[in-house]
Coordinates of all heavy atoms in Angstrom, one line a residue:
L138 N 131.6 -4.8 77.5 CA 132.0 -3.7 76.6 C 132.7 -2.6 77.4 O 133.7 -2.0 76.9 CB 130.8 -3.1 75.9 CG 130.2 -3.9 74.8 CD1 128.9 -3.3 74.3 CD2 131.1 -4.1 73.6
N147 N 134.9 0.7 70.3 CA 134.3 1.5 69.2 C 134.0 0.6 68.0 O 133.0 0.8 67.3 CB 135.3 2.6 68.9 CG 135.3 3.7 69.9 OD1 134.4 3.8 70.8 ND2 136.4 4.4 69.9
R148 N 134.9 -0.3 67.7 CA 134.7 -1.2 66.6 C 133.4 -2.1 66.7 O 132.6 -2.2 65.8 CB 135.9 -2.1 66.4 CG 136.0 -2.8 65.1 CD 137.3 -3.5 65.0 NE 137.3 -4.3 63.8 CZ 138.2 -5.2 63.5 NH1 139.2 -5.4 64.3 NH2 138.1 -5.9 62.4
I149 N 133.2 -2.6 67.9 CA 132.0 -3.4 68.2 C 130.8 -2.5 68.2 O 129.8 -2.9 67.7 CB 132.2 -4.1 69.6 CG1 133.3 -5.2 69.4 CG2 130.9 -4.8 70.0 CD1 133.7 -5.9 70.7
A167 N 130.5 -8.3 57.0 CA 130.2 -8.9 58.3 C 130.1 -10.4 58.3 O 129.5 -11.0 57.3 CB 128.9 -8.3 58.8
V199 N 116.6 -6.2 68.5 CA 117.8 -7.0 68.6 C 118.3 -6.9 70.0 O 118.5 -5.8 70.5 CB 118.9 -6.5 67.6 CG1 120.2 -7.3 67.8 CG2 118.4 -6.7 66.2
V202 N 123.2 -10.2 74.0 CA 123.2 -10.9 75.3 C 124.6 -11.2 75.8 O 124.8 -11.4 77.0 CB 122.4 -12.2 75.2 CG1 120.9 -11.9 75.1 CG2 122.9 -13.1 74.2
A210 N 134.7 -17.8 73.5 CA 133.4 -17.6 73.0 C 132.5 -18.8 73.1 O 131.3 -18.7 73.2 CB 133.4 -17.0 71.6
Y211 N 133.1 -20.0 73.0 CA 132.2 -21.1 72.9 C 132.4 -22.1 74.1 O 132.1 -23.3 74.0 CB 132.5 -21.9 71.5 CG 132.3 -20.9 70.4 CD1 133.3 -20.4 69.7 CD2 131.0 -20.6 70.0 CE1 133.2 -19.5 68.7 CE2 130.8 -19.7 68.9 CZ 131.9 -19.2 68.3 OH 131.7 -18.3 67.3

Side-chain angles (χ1 to χ4, degrees):
L138 286 172
N147 289 341
R148 191 170 174 196
I149 291 172
V199 173
V202 292
Y211 304 101

